Amino acid sequence: MTTKMAIGAKDIFRNQHRLIRFIEQSIRLCSNQSLKAAQQQQQQQQQQHQLNKTQLDGDFNISKSLNSEHWNAVPEPVEHDPDVGQQFYGNQLMVRLASPQQLQPKPDRDEDLIFGKQFTDHMLKIYYHKSLGGWQRPEITPLENLVMHPAAKVLHYAVELFEGMKAYRGVDGKIRIFRPNMNMNRMNLAAKRSGLPTFEGKEFIKCLSRLISIDSEWVPHTQAASLYIRPTLIGIDPTLGVASSDSALLYAILSPVGSYFKSDSSGAVSLLADPSYTRAWPGGVGNRKMGSNYAPTINVQKKADAKGLQQVLWLYGETHDLTEVGTMNIFMFFINDKGEKELITPPLNGLILPGITRDSILALARQWGQFKVTEGTFNMPRVCELLNQGRLLELFGTGTACLVSPINRIHYMNQDLYIPTMEQEKPVHETIRTALTDIQYGKVPHPWAVVIE
């Protein structure tokens, strides 16, 4: 009897944060005024979704055919080097749950979440040791600090890389992740470039899915927020010297997040375009998600902040080619020289990250067939020309963190260029955002949205 009571008490303590959250939500909903407001908000959301759906079901519908060539594109698998050794598998996963004392404080309101400031109760860790045969058993543990030798390669030579993914709580209550196979492929390509061991992406997704399932109550109950997933791979060899890593740590942490960027009242961002700074160059690693690509951008971002601008527009070369916006890919919607509406984004030439959101937008736009879709180089003189001729319609950034972020101003060569993105009657970036969120939040069934069981 005593043993049963102890087990019961342990379960209560383990889930006490869920009970407290449930009680708080119940108390708020018991108020007639709060209930009425919640019902009105739900009705407004349904009406707005129906309006958006009507628009999409016209010229910009999401194909109901799951056999579309645009939907089923699968990245080529990454081949492991012969000396990587044994792989890990999802069925090897061990789980060590957090004690009541290890539970993390939960946010009061999902709508007030700040990006990257709070983390869930658990994390995923998988060690690699070449001397032990390769990858070790994956383990889910309470969120905890990492312990490593002060000579670890990650600390001296930036031998590390990461990914950015999200989990969404759908309108049906199910939790979904978006095109995770694309993230795994991109992560393995970066691992090869960094001299770090590669892994089986589908097995890591299984482990991630279990982690999300354990911390499922952290997935926000609103479409204004989501659960950010940060897989990371670091070299942890306790030796100095630039060389491939014989020991590594692959881990993932989760963070409930709201909006990534601070925008103005219209929801748009303004940019600093300074050609004296370069983010990436041919033959480099601008197309890989490595920490070494981001640290050098921080000081330039401070210069943008000082001018009252939200982000940096990265230019390249003597012609000032547009490459990326902060941590985002960039798209331009305009009327080309033939009088056609065209959506263009920079090509995958090694200077930009092959964004999953970018790839998804290209697939959607090509399936719609309502305007020309191009991957090609364009520069600031071209932007200025189109703007002066009234042919530049929209500029927007895209990425996992921000999804779609409209641009309304660029500070370039000591001049402010005002972009009419927010002045369009039916902006394409809004149509794209609606199409993507409908998939991510389960409003439209789609193979890109993978349900967490």
Side-chain angles (χ1 to χ4, degrees):
M1 186 66 178
T2 303
T3 303
K4 290 182 178 179
M5 291 176 64
I7 293 173
K10 184 178 180 181
D11 289 338
I12 290 173
F13 282 122
R14 181 178 295 162
N15 294 284
Q16 62 179 340
H17 64 289
R18 297 181 182 178
L19 177 61
I20 292 171
R21 183 176 180 85
F22 175 76
I23 293 172
E24 288 176 344
Q25 291 174 339
S26 298
I27 291 173
R28 286 198 295 267
L29 288 176
C30 281
S31 163
N32 290 335
Q33 187 174 6
S34 297
L35 182 59
K36 183 177 180 181
Q39 290 173 337
Q40 289 177 343
Q41 183 180 13
Q42 183 180 13
Q43 185 178 9
Q44 290 173 353
Q45 289 176 345
Q46 290 174 345
Q47 290 174 347
Q48 182 61 44
H49 172 61
Q50 187 60 40
L51 180 64
N52 293 336
K53 187 175 184 299
T54 300
Q55 180 181 353
L56 286 172
D57 284 343
D59 294 334
F60 300 99
N61 69 302
I62 300 174
S63 173
K64 298 185 184 299
S65 171
L66 301 187
N67 295 319
S68 170
E69 61 177 327
H70 301 300
W71 307 152
N72 294 327
V74 177
E76 293 185 8
V78 174
E79 293 186 6
H80 306 297
D81 291 338
D83 61 348
V84 167
Q86 66 193 14
Q87 291 292 320
F88 64 85
Y89 297 95
N91 59 13
Q92 299 173 326
L93 182 63
M94 300 180 292
V95 178
R96 176 163 56 90
L97 295 175
S99 67
Q101 294 77 19
Q102 293 174 307
L103 296 177
Q104 303 298 312
K106 300 196 74 175
D108 294 328
R109 280 170 39 88
D110 289 338
E111 292 77 11
D112 297 333
L113 287 168
I114 300 175
F115 194 94
K117 297 294 185 181
Q118 292 179 291
F119 298 92
T120 68
D121 298 324
H122 299 89
M123 65 186 298
L124 170 65
K125 292 193 291 188
I126 312 169
Y127 282 95
Y128 174 89
H129 296 294
K130 192 172 184 179
S131 61
L132 297 178
W135 287 104
Q136 306 302 297
R137 290 186 66 176
E139 182 183 17
I140 289 174
T141 72
L143 183 70
E144 56 192 8
N145 293 333
L146 301 179
V147 178
M148 65 184 70
H149 195 279
K153 279 186 166 49
V154 63
L155 303 176
H156 297 268
Y157 310 115
V159 181
E160 71 91 42
L161 54 100
F162 62 93
E163 270 299 322
M165 308 166 64
K166 280 184 176 181
Y168 309 86
R169 189 179 297 278
V171 293
D172 55 1
K174 295 180 181 180
I175 297 171
R176 294 171 173 83
I177 52 179
F178 187 71
R179 305 188 76 184
N181 60 322
M182 299 286 287
N183 294 93
M184 297 300 100
N185 181 265
R186 192 170 67 179
M187 196 171 188
N188 267 316
L189 289 173
K192 271 185 169 289
R193 190 70 164 84
S194 304
L196 285 164
T198 53
F199 56 91
E200 287 293 327
K202 64 180 183 298
E203 299 300 325
F204 189 52
I205 293 171
K206 293 177 184 177
C207 297
L208 275 180
S209 298
R210 178 68 174 133
L211 175 65
I212 296 167
S213 177
I214 289 173
D215 282 347
S216 60
E217 283 304 310
W218 286 83
V219 183
H221 292 256
T222 172
Q223 291 188 43
S226 54
L227 185 70
Y228 190 76
I229 307 165
R230 173 49 61 88
T232 308
L233 178 57
I234 62 176
I236 59 174
D237 303 57
T239 57
L240 297 178
V242 181
S244 297
S245 298
D246 290 336
S247 292
L249 173 61
L250 174 61
Y251 69 92
I253 52 178
L254 310 176
S255 174
V257 298
S259 176
Y260 185 77
F261 293 124
K262 291 181 179 179
S263 56
D264 62 18
S265 58
S266 69
V269 296
S270 54
L271 311 177
L272 170 64
D274 189 336
S276 62
Y277 298 103
T278 302
R279 176 192 167 274
W281 49 90
V285 291
N287 59 344
R288 300 290 174 249
K289 208 166 179 66
M290 301 174 177
S292 55
N293 283 334
Y294 295 84
T297 69
I298 295 173
N299 188 55
V300 188
Q301 179 61 48
K302 286 183 178 180
K303 295 182 183 296
D305 294 339
K307 294 179 179 291
L309 305 166
Q310 281 88 29
Q311 283 296 311
V312 176
L313 173 58
W314 297 101
L315 307 177
Y316 173 76
E318 295 180 356
T319 55
H320 302 174
D321 298 339
L322 282 74
T323 60
E324 290 195 358
V325 180
T327 59
M328 301 182 288
N329 294 124
I330 189 169
F331 282 81
M332 180 171 71
F333 190 55
F334 68 106
I335 299 173
N336 63 25
D337 295 338
K338 296 181 179 180
E340 307 166 317
K341 288 185 176 179
E342 181 175 343
L343 182 68
I344 187 171
T345 191
L348 299 180
N349 56 6
L351 298 181
I352 70 168
L353 195 70
I356 285 84
T357 306
R358 172 190 180 275
D359 183 83
S360 303
I361 291 172
L362 289 172
L364 285 170
R366 284 166 177 155
Q367 188 267 328
W368 290 334
Q370 297 300 310
F371 43 78
K372 186 176 180 180
V373 180
T374 307
E375 295 176 74
T377 301
F378 57 102
N379 54 37
M380 283 305 299
R382 176 63 166 164
V383 169
C384 293
E385 177 188 27
L386 291 170
L387 190 61
N388 290 333
Q389 295 176 354
R391 294 195 285 145
L392 176 54
L393 305 178
E394 301 176 47
L395 274 175
F396 53 93
T398 67
T400 298
C402 66
L403 193 59
V404 178
S405 186
I407 298 162
N408 65 355
R409 179 164 63 102
I410 301 175
H411 186 76
Y412 171 67
M413 304 295 283
N414 296 319
Q415 290 186 333
D416 282 323
L417 306 178
Y418 291 92
I419 314 299
T421 305
M422 308 303 289
E423 300 171 14
Q424 307 305 314
E425 184 178 354
K426 292 183 178 179
V428 165
H429 75 270
E430 283 288 353
T431 303
I432 290 170
R433 180 192 286 117
T434 300
L436 288 173
T437 54
D438 278 0
I439 295 171
Q440 291 166 344
Y441 287 95
K443 295 178 181 178
V444 175
H446 202 284
W448 285 350
V450 179
V451 176
I452 302 295
E453 301 295 343

